[in-house]
Amino acid sequence: MIRISPDNWAPIGVDSLEVAADEAVREVENNVLITAGPGAGKTELLAQRACFLLQTGLCPPPKRILAISFKRDAARNLKDRVELRCGNEIARRFDSMTFDAFSKTLLDRFRLGLPANWQPSEDYQIDFTINRQNQMQSILETALGRADYTHAQIQQFNARTFARDYLTSTPLCSLNNHAALSVWGYLLKGLSPSRVIFTMIGRLAGYILHCNPLLVQAIRSTYVYAFLDEFQDTTQIQYDLTSVCFKGSQTIMTAVGDDKQRIMIWAGAVRDAFNLFIDDFAAIPKHLISNYRSVPELVQIQHSISQALSPGIRRSVSRVSSSDSTEVCRALLFSDDNAEAEYLSHTISEWISENEIPCREVCILVRQTPNRYVDKLIDKLRQSGIKARIESELQDLLAEPITSLLISMLRLIVLKKSPADWSKVTDFLLRTSNADEDACGEIEDSLGVFLTESRQAMENTEAWTVESVEARLEVVTGFLGNDTIRNFFQQYRQGTYYDDLMNSLARELCDRLATMNWKDAIFDFEGHDSIPMMTLHKSKGLEFHTVVFIGLEDQALWGYNNNPDEETCGFFVAFSRAKERVVLTASLSRPDRFGRCQSQTIDTIRPLYDLLSQAGVELEEVNTDQMS
């Protein structure tokens, strides 16, 4: 690679960066904290910064850059952007992963660096049920019963919050709560295989570093630059791990986030993470004011909401053209959820058929429990020939690297020609084979033969079961190399996580193959031509032409009384996903979780409606007899 002089380097793929962003991209001496609103290009800034450091040689081989994101799709998006701008060769020294993946990689590679009584079994399982109240209650009764706790003593612990309040509340080097130690011992040593959750993995990773200072030195020597994305959602566990890794080191840190989008306090996010980072890492604060996502009319409303969270905050400046529509935001009140579904299905049909807005550009958001709010709308849309689905459960699976790789392989088998997938798969094979460019032809020939054989085998299979789909996936991973995959994606090295993902993928595909061919099953799994529906937490980092937020009601935003700021942040997140239009709905009647009709109110959250009113958006009562 020919290095570019830092003075001659220019941003790639964008016309320019605002002054503060350009300064942050080129910073090589100080840690930086960048605060920015929605649509400010925070991910793009990190991608440009990676390109600057790699292309100018300021991060010379074999040094690397570590980027840690909160969500899997955000980590993959950032990696893809760097590869697109830099090329695969130098982008190989850019490691983009989630905190969970980073923690799991440390645990899998250096598990034996833990004291013997803290080492999980090599085949440990990630058991997501541990956090469920009933399961934790059973664990407490067994683990604490073995530790001679009486039934009355066990009942004093809240099973719903035990993991957060006791099990992972403090670094393991300073954990001295007997009940927490007993549960740790039971999950790690009393079960075969050991069972853990990701927060436990985070604490174990931190303990590995605490016990092995030479490993900390190796990490600091390897990663001379580190990026932290969505920093406002960083949990105490993640902050502690970051501090052990890099606090007081020569590694240059860049953290980006938006405190107006702080919606993970309930999950343990650090309340004052920005100021803490500035103090602990002597970081220089910078603020971005551009909004490259939303039309000016929506940015104006966003500012009204953001002022409630941060009085005196600077107004963001929209960098896109004004909307042609006279109704960029509406707040609608319905008599019941039947009328709401009827109106929305009719309106969405018009957007798609008359305004030619793609299905994937219309997103339905809810605060939580999507089924209660969207099931009737899904049925109404289906009657109009429009597909819609709740994506919350699929989002994480789709964001997994192994899922992306296997779907590319399946598309090549089914579609025969798919240039982007061909490039992706051959690049993976070339990178993992340690072969030079001259071997590319052999790799492509081998891939072509495999695809032909697989196509014939799949065409000869009349009916698909979960077992047969999983067997077909195993044939594909066998060609790619199971050990190769696990070594390349280090989060799959140990435990059953990799096998669990393969089984989940097989089940999802099998469900669709009962009524679809392979091509349609793959497209349906990915959500092609389907309106996405999700919780506002799952929408973080995403953007859509139109956002419909269903259920702006007291019962949906039930935490508003106790945490008005956090619920307002959630509302701000939902609102700011939109590029050109926002529709907010409330219903005076909606079924509860048992299907019983229940009255809804908007009294407690009235301040949110007042914010909209101040921005010129008044609540409208909708008569569904007038479908307009």
Side-chain angles (χ1 to χ4, degrees):
M1 184 195 74
I2 299 175
R3 292 184 181 178
I4 303 171
S5 165
D7 292 336
N8 293 332
W9 182 89
I12 303 167
V14 296
D15 294 334
S16 63
L17 299 171
E18 65 175 278
V19 174
D22 191 68
E23 292 173 350
V25 163
R26 298 174 185 273
E27 179 62 59
V28 293
E29 294 183 357
N30 300 291
N31 298 324
V32 179
L33 172 68
I34 302 158
T35 56
K42 296 185 287 294
T43 302
E44 183 62 34
L45 182 152
L46 292 178
Q48 295 291 343
R49 178 156 172 72
C51 292
F52 171 74
L53 297 170
L54 293 168
Q55 291 179 318
T56 60
L58 290 168
C59 180
K63 304 298 184 182
R64 308 180 71 86
I65 300 172
L66 174 65
I68 302 182
S69 300
F70 199 79
K71 295 173 60 179
R72 296 181 184 92
D73 49 358
R76 189 177 71 183
N77 181 21
L78 180 54
K79 178 70 171 178
D80 290 344
R81 292 194 191 203
V82 174
E83 289 181 348
L84 179 64
R85 286 153 180 76
C86 284
N88 292 334
E89 184 62 32
I90 62 174
R92 293 178 187 180
R93 292 190 289 113
F94 180 74
D95 296 329
S96 180
M97 62 187 78
T98 63
F99 264 110
D100 286 343
F102 180 58
S103 301
K104 189 175 186 301
T105 297
L106 288 174
L107 177 60
D108 291 346
R109 294 185 64 185
F110 306 108
R111 178 179 60 90
L112 298 180
L114 287 164
N117 60 317
W118 284 101
Q119 293 175 14
S121 59
E122 184 175 4
D123 59 344
Y124 69 85
Q125 291 184 351
I126 298 174
D127 184 353
F128 297 101
T129 69
I130 289 175
N131 256 335
R132 296 176 185 170
Q133 185 170 356
N134 290 342
Q135 180 72 349
M136 180 55 77
Q137 186 63 49
S138 175
I139 291 170
L140 288 175
E141 290 172 358
T142 303
L144 300 187
R146 291 183 175 184
D148 296 328
Y149 279 72
T150 66
H151 179 72
Q153 289 173 322
I154 295 173
Q155 294 305 310
Q156 291 178 358
F157 294 103
N158 185 337
R160 185 175 60 84
T161 62
F162 184 86
R164 181 193 67 196
D165 295 342
Y166 294 96
L167 196 65
T168 59
S169 60
T170 60
L172 299 185
C173 59
S174 58
L175 182 64
N176 56 17
N177 181 274
H178 186 264
L181 291 169
S182 299
V183 173
W184 270 103
Y186 171 68
L187 293 174
L188 294 182
K189 298 297 182 181
L191 296 173
S192 182
S194 304
R195 289 162 54 194
V196 296
I197 51 180
F198 273 112
T199 52
M200 295 172 65
I201 291 176
R203 285 303 188 198
L204 287 169
Y207 199 23
I208 288 172
L209 297 178
H210 173 79
C211 297
N212 299 273
L214 290 179
L215 176 57
V216 176
Q217 291 181 25
I219 291 173
R220 294 176 175 184
S221 177
T222 300
Y223 294 115
V224 290
Y225 295 93
F227 303 165
L228 304 172
D229 196 9
E230 297 288 356
F231 191 65
Q232 75 280 349
D233 290 330
T234 299
T235 67
Q236 190 64 57
I237 295 172
Q238 295 162 351
Y239 190 85
D240 290 345
L241 183 60
T242 301
S243 297
V244 173
C245 280
F246 300 116
K247 184 177 177 181
S249 73
Q250 297 300 309
T251 300
I252 304 298
M253 308 287 289
T254 305
V256 299
D258 179 9
D259 56 0
K260 301 184 300 303
Q261 298 186 59
R262 190 183 64 241
I263 60 173
M264 301 300 290
I265 295 297
W266 62 274
V270 180
R271 289 186 177 273
D272 198 24
F274 290 2
N275 289 331
L276 196 61
F277 183 78
I278 290 173
D279 292 341
D280 287 349
F281 290 85
I284 299 174
K286 292 183 180 294
H287 183 70
L288 309 186
I289 62 171
S290 294
N291 186 315
Y292 297 96
R293 175 187 301 156
S294 304
V295 296
E297 296 84 351
L298 287 179
V299 172
Q300 172 62 35
I301 303 172
Q302 290 174 20
H303 183 64
S304 297
I305 303 171
S306 63
Q307 281 188 311
L309 296 166
S310 302
I313 189 172
R314 293 178 64 186
R315 187 185 302 271
S316 293
V317 178
S318 175
R319 304 298 185 186
V320 299
S321 301
S322 294
S323 173
D324 295 331
S325 173
T326 58
E327 295 181 334
V328 297
C329 181
R330 296 182 70 187
L332 308 176
L333 179 64
F334 296 90
S335 58
D336 57 50
D337 63 323
N338 291 306
E340 178 186 66
E342 181 72 30
Y343 180 89
L344 287 177
S345 64
H346 176 79
T347 303
I348 292 171
S349 297
E350 287 186 343
W351 292 339
I352 294 172
S353 61
E354 297 181 14
N355 301 129
E356 297 183 345
I357 299 174
C359 288
R360 299 300 296 178
E361 283 293 317
V362 178
C363 181
I364 312 298
L365 294 181
V366 299
R367 173 64 176 83
Q368 59 183 9
T369 57
N371 294 94
R372 286 182 55 196
Y373 292 87
V374 302
D375 277 356
K376 291 181 180 178
L377 177 57
I378 290 175
D379 289 338
K380 291 289 185 182
L381 288 170
R382 185 183 298 114
Q383 294 171 21
S384 299
I386 299 172
K387 292 191 296 184
R389 72 176 190 186
I390 298 171
E391 301 221 333
S392 298
E393 297 176 358
L394 286 176
Q395 204 173 31
D396 289 342
L397 179 59
L398 283 164
E400 286 288 345
I402 184 59
T403 303
S404 178
L405 182 60
L406 289 177
I407 290 298
S408 287
M409 284 289 290
L410 292 173
R411 273 199 298 261
L412 286 174
I413 295 171
V414 173
L415 301 180
K416 297 184 181 180
K417 291 185 179 180
S418 182
D421 292 312
W422 180 267
S423 176
K424 178 177 180 177
V425 172
T426 54
D427 178 68
F428 173 82
L429 292 171
L430 188 62
R431 292 172 64 179
T432 55
S433 67
N434 295 318
D436 55 30
E437 293 292 338
D438 294 335
C440 186
E442 295 180 9
I443 288 175
E444 290 184 339
D445 290 343
S446 175
L447 176 59
V449 171
F450 175 78
L451 295 177
T452 299
E453 294 175 348
S454 296
R455 192 174 300 122
Q456 293 172 349
M458 290 166 65
E459 289 173 351
N460 292 332
T461 303
E462 295 182 0
W464 291 94
T465 63
V466 174
E467 291 75 20
S468 61
V469 174
E470 196 163 13
R472 175 48 48 185
L473 294 178
E474 288 175 358
V475 171
V476 176
T477 58
F479 171 78
L480 297 171
N482 282 295
D483 290 341
T484 300
I485 293 171
R486 291 176 184 266
N487 288 329
F488 189 78
F489 304 115
Q490 295 183 4
Q491 60 266 44
Y492 304 141
R493 276 190 172 183
Q494 288 181 287
T496 63
Y497 190 48
Y498 176 82
D499 295 330
D500 293 342
L501 288 172
M502 293 287 287
N503 182 258
S504 296
L505 178 56
R507 290 183 179 280
E508 291 293 342
L509 291 172
C510 184
D511 287 345
R512 290 161 174 80
L513 289 168
T515 57
M516 303 176 188
N517 60 36
W518 268 98
K519 175 184 174 181
D520 292 339
I522 293 169
F523 283 178
D524 186 77
F525 172 64
E526 293 183 296
H528 289 235
D529 299 324
S530 178
I531 293 175
M533 300 175 163
M534 64 189 75
T535 64
L536 64 88
H537 288 86
K538 290 292 186 179
S539 74
K540 285 288 296 294
L542 304 178
E543 59 181 38
F544 307 90
H545 177 282
T546 296
V547 166
V548 180
F549 184 86
I550 295 179
L552 190 57
E553 303 149 3
D554 295 340
Q555 287 73 11
L557 278 66
W558 52 268
Y560 189 89
N561 250 341
N562 296 325
N563 297 292
D565 282 353
E566 187 165 3
E567 291 293 353
T568 303
C569 284
F571 176 61
F572 182 77
V573 167
F575 195 99
S576 60
R577 300 307 94 200
K579 292 185 280 189
E580 295 200 24
R581 174 170 45 215
V582 175
V583 175
L584 308 159
T585 74
S587 172
L588 296 178
S589 176
R590 199 180 296 281
D592 62 16
R593 62 192 180 96
F594 301 108
R596 301 172 301 197
C597 186
Q598 185 180 58
S599 297
Q600 308 291 301
T601 57
I602 56 173
D603 300 325
T604 304
I605 64 167
R606 179 62 66 174
L608 296 182
Y609 283 98
D610 292 340
L611 291 175
L612 292 171
S613 179
Q614 292 168 18
V617 181
E618 301 295 344
L619 183 63
E620 310 169 43
E621 293 189 26
V622 179
N623 181 356
T624 53
D625 293 332
Q626 301 172 354
M627 303 299 288
S628 61

